Amino acid sequence: MTLVDTRNTNPKNLVKGATGDWEIIIGLEVHAQVQSEAKLFSGSSTEFGASPNDHVSLVDAAMPGMLPVINEECVKQAIRTGLGLKAEINNKSVFDRKNYFYPDLPQGYQISQFKQPIVGEGEVILELGDGEEIRIGIERLHLEQDAGKSIHDLHPTKSYVDLNRSGVALMEIVSKPDMRSSDEAKAYISKLRTILRYIGSSDADMEKGNLRADVNVSVRRPGEGFGTRCEIKNVNSMRFAGQAIEYEARRQIGILEDGGTIDQETRLFDPAKGETRSMRSKEEAHDYRYFPDPDLLPLEFDDAYVEALKVGLPELPDDKRARFIADYGLSPYDADILVVDRESADFFEKVAKGRDAKQAANWVINELFGRLNKEGRDISASPVSAEQVGGVIDLVQDGTISGKIAKDVFEIVWAEGGDPAEIVEKRGMKQVTDLGAIEKVVDEVIAANPEKVEQAREKPGLVGWFVGQVMKASGGKANPQAVNDLLKKKIGID
Ligand code: ADP
Ligand code: MG
């Protein structure tokens, strides 16, 4: 691949060495397990959590004479993902054999795509927190088989092999070397995960190993060309990716500043030590003796096939985000939070329907997500429905309860369920708008604090303190606006 530098150096991304500034260059190869019931070239199940070697067909075990047959569902998923990455879809692609020996690779080669992948160049847009948007180029996406798993810790002298994963379809998504910091790399992985989940082409669950990244890192002096990179294999969490990049960049800077050179090599990240270490010198494509798999025809489809898949795609996160900002008037920040997964976005839209959208966003983000986070729960496991959140908002909006009481109602709905309006009715939580009742409490508070009243006449801001006292005395049920108006009148502030 020809490497083109598409970014201007941002001083914010420079890291200090002993002899001056450095820039970190990062390119990622992400492996995402394709969401499909069967493997790429066999009918075996891809179900997670089965006993070792439960999902292994003769094809997966590479018995002599077995022939691979492509699973169309995996092809569709790769095309759909390519469309989600705004990428070029190649109507003709070729499967190659990538030859190497490994005990958990019974074929002695992996079927992958080399010169002619199913998907070509595309892009991923990252919204960085400070409103900055950057474009990360996609080099390609290709389909390939996963290998099995060697297990070394079950027996003192033997290793075991589990072939359940052998032959499962992976999409390898290769980025251009367009990232310039560990934060950008993490944002990229996170955005990619969001896109895959929207499309439903991978559950992209890093904990299950369904999304892994090979992280390529090099460093250079600002303004120079790309330096020699190291590739850190199989990083399986976003946090580790960040740590591996930070460590690796420091290591390379140290070597270069001491007058050394970087060896292009494959490294491993050790999460326990927080460092990377050499695994092997970098293998080149010719080491694998790639050649087209003679058991498989080139993969071909026409434009109509791609068009039909395009029509079936859901609204993608960037489009949804733009719509939330334009149609609901949300801030980019709120929109980002809400579109991070489809469930959250749908939940918000249900709450916002026929209501003030900013109120809806506030409630969903601050109250609901805040509460879910506290309990380590997902939106799909929320005990409170969109209807219930909407019900609480309606009660505030029509003046039945104050914002403060609304939070209590929300807590009750969270813990016990039920209809917010009924809860308010039954438990006598309604806001007191009866001026006579409020006036009595206001008078009491004023009478009890003559000095504060004097001060408030000088400093009108102090009225807030009185409002607090009256609200407290009324158990939070007084209408705060009415209290405020009444206090000002009685104390004599205009
Ligand atoms: P290979 O197939 O040998 O791993 P590629 O040229 O396909 O090599 O690149 C693999 C990954 O390495 C890509 O994600 C690419 O962006 C990244 N990359 C290439 N050169 C550099 C570099 N100098 N620094 C950081 N990343 C790089
Ligand atoms: Mg590579």
Side-chain angles (χ1 to χ4, degrees):
M1 100 192 226
T2 38
L3 299 178
V4 184
D5 193 351
T6 60
R7 307 226 4 224
N8 293 324
T9 300
N10 184 340
K12 187 187 82 188
N13 289 329
L14 295 180
V15 294
K16 287 230 171 312
T19 59
D21 288 341
W22 295 87
E23 189 173 22
I24 309 177
I25 309 293
I26 304 152
L28 297 182
E29 298 159 272
V30 169
H31 292 89
Q33 181 172 325
V34 175
Q35 185 105 23
S36 88
E37 283 177 20
K39 295 183 181 180
L40 184 53
F41 298 114
S42 83
S44 315
S45 166
T46 58
E47 193 197 346
F48 181 77
S51 307
N53 298 307
D54 251 12
H55 297 321
V56 185
S57 73
L58 297 173
V59 174
D60 311 323
M63 289 295 147
M66 293 298 119
L67 290 173
V69 177
I70 187 102
N71 174 352
E72 187 177 358
E73 180 61 18
C74 299
V75 174
K76 287 182 175 170
Q77 293 289 41
I79 296 172
R80 297 173 78 236
T81 307
L83 292 168
L85 300 173
K86 309 270 185 292
E88 184 192 336
I89 308 296
N90 295 324
N91 294 36
K92 178 174 176 187
S93 63
V94 172
F95 285 101
D96 297 283
R97 290 187 180 179
K98 182 181 184 181
N99 298 279
Y100 61 98
F101 170 81
Y102 217 75
D104 55 27
L105 184 76
Q107 289 170 154
Y109 56 84
Q110 175 193 33
I111 305 178
S112 180
Q113 297 191 302
F114 181 50
K115 288 207 174 116
Q116 298 187 66
I118 184 167
V119 175
E121 295 192 359
E123 66 177 28
V124 169
I125 305 294
L126 305 184
E127 293 90 16
L128 304 177
D130 42 13
E132 192 193 349
E133 266 188 20
I134 57 173
R135 178 190 174 280
I136 306 299
I138 296 294
E139 172 69 22
R140 59 189 275 148
L141 174 158
H142 65 252
L143 278 168
E144 63 183 28
Q145 299 175 299
D146 203 352
K149 201 167 109 190
S150 300
I151 303 159
H152 306 292
D153 55 4
L154 284 182
H155 192 279
T157 56
K158 290 178 182 162
S159 283
Y160 293 93
V161 172
D162 175 6
L163 293 181
N164 281 348
R165 277 198 108 103
S166 169
V168 164
L170 302 177
M171 295 181 280
E172 175 167 337
I173 303 167
V174 183
S175 86
K176 308 257 185 191
D178 284 352
M179 285 154 273
R180 298 289 178 268
S181 69
S182 57
D183 282 345
E184 290 186 4
K186 286 191 279 187
Y188 169 80
I189 297 173
S190 164
K191 184 65 181 282
L192 202 55
R193 186 173 60 182
T194 296
I195 294 171
L196 293 169
R197 288 182 176 168
Y198 263 67
I199 292 173
S201 58
S202 173
D203 74 3
D205 189 335
M206 294 190 100
E207 278 175 24
K208 288 187 190 155
N210 294 349
L211 192 80
R212 284 122 58 191
D214 296 345
V215 182
N216 295 272
V217 180
S218 65
V219 298
R220 66 173 177 193
R221 295 289 191 187
E224 283 182 356
F226 291 129
T228 304
R229 71 187 148 111
C230 289
E231 177 177 4
I232 307 149
K233 275 276 171 206
N234 252 325
V235 180
N236 61 5
S237 92
M238 223 130 71
R239 192 161 57 91
F240 292 163
Q243 290 173 355
I245 291 166
E246 297 289 331
Y247 177 88
E248 183 58 20
R250 280 283 151 212
R251 187 186 73 86
Q252 293 182 15
I253 291 170
I255 292 173
L256 293 171
E257 292 195 323
D258 286 346
T261 52
I262 304 301
D263 295 328
Q264 185 169 333
E265 59 183 2
T266 301
R267 301 179 67 86
L268 276 181
F269 178 67
D270 179 343
K273 295 207 177 104
E275 53 186 50
T276 65
R277 63 166 181 272
S278 183
M279 187 175 152
R280 55 176 186 247
S281 65
K282 172 71 185 169
E283 69 288 353
E284 298 290 340
H286 60 248
D287 296 329
Y288 291 115
R289 302 194 64 79
Y290 279 101
F291 63 86
D293 191 314
D295 290 340
L296 288 158
L297 288 167
L299 177 60
E300 291 186 74
F301 42 77
D302 57 17
D303 292 341
Y305 189 76
V306 178
E307 206 41 51
L309 291 169
K310 195 173 193 170
V311 169
L313 283 182
E315 182 182 33
L316 292 168
D318 288 344
D319 298 329
K320 207 184 271 295
R321 176 179 188 270
R323 183 167 63 82
F324 278 15
I325 294 171
D327 291 3
Y328 293 113
L330 297 189
S331 68
Y333 179 81
D334 284 355
D336 279 343
I337 296 176
L338 291 169
V339 305
V340 84
D341 55 66
R342 265 166 88 175
E343 289 82 1
S344 301
D346 290 349
F347 193 104
F348 160 73
E349 290 210 89
K350 272 193 209 146
V351 177
K353 193 159 189 241
R355 300 191 177 90
D356 182 80
K358 282 183 194 162
Q359 286 285 346
N362 272 342
W363 270 89
V364 172
I365 294 171
N366 298 326
E367 302 309 321
L368 182 67
F369 290 180
R371 195 70 169 81
L372 288 168
N373 277 344
K374 210 162 101 190
E375 310 240 335
R377 287 205 211 186
D378 221 56
I379 180 83
S380 55
S382 170
V384 181
S385 69
E387 289 70 29
Q388 287 167 317
V389 175
V392 176
I393 296 175
D394 290 343
L395 293 169
V396 180
Q397 220 59 16
D398 67 14
T400 308
I401 56 176
S402 65
K404 189 174 168 299
I405 292 290
K407 292 184 184 178
D408 298 341
V409 176
F410 178 80
E411 272 305 313
I412 296 169
V413 176
W414 177 280
E416 301 166 27
D419 173 40
E422 264 173 38
I423 292 170
V424 166
E425 186 67 53
K426 277 204 190 117
R427 307 200 186 193
M429 297 170 90
K430 277 194 180 165
Q431 182 160 254
V432 181
T433 36
D434 169 3
L435 281 186
I438 296 176
E439 192 168 3
K440 201 168 145 265
V441 186
V442 166
D443 287 341
E444 280 163 20
V445 172
I446 287 179
N449 298 284
E451 278 164 36
K452 278 251 159 51
V453 171
E454 281 306 314
Q455 291 168 6
R457 288 195 181 116
E458 303 292 312
K459 281 207 306 191
L462 271 181
V463 77
W465 180 85
F466 282 94
V467 175
Q469 296 302 306
V470 175
M471 292 305 289
K472 208 158 119 192
S474 74
K477 285 194 283 182
N479 179 324
Q481 192 55 51
V483 172
N484 196 54
D485 293 346
L486 213 56
L487 275 164
K488 279 187 168 168
K489 203 172 94 194
K490 298 233 168 196
I491 297 176
I493 310 170
D494 40 35

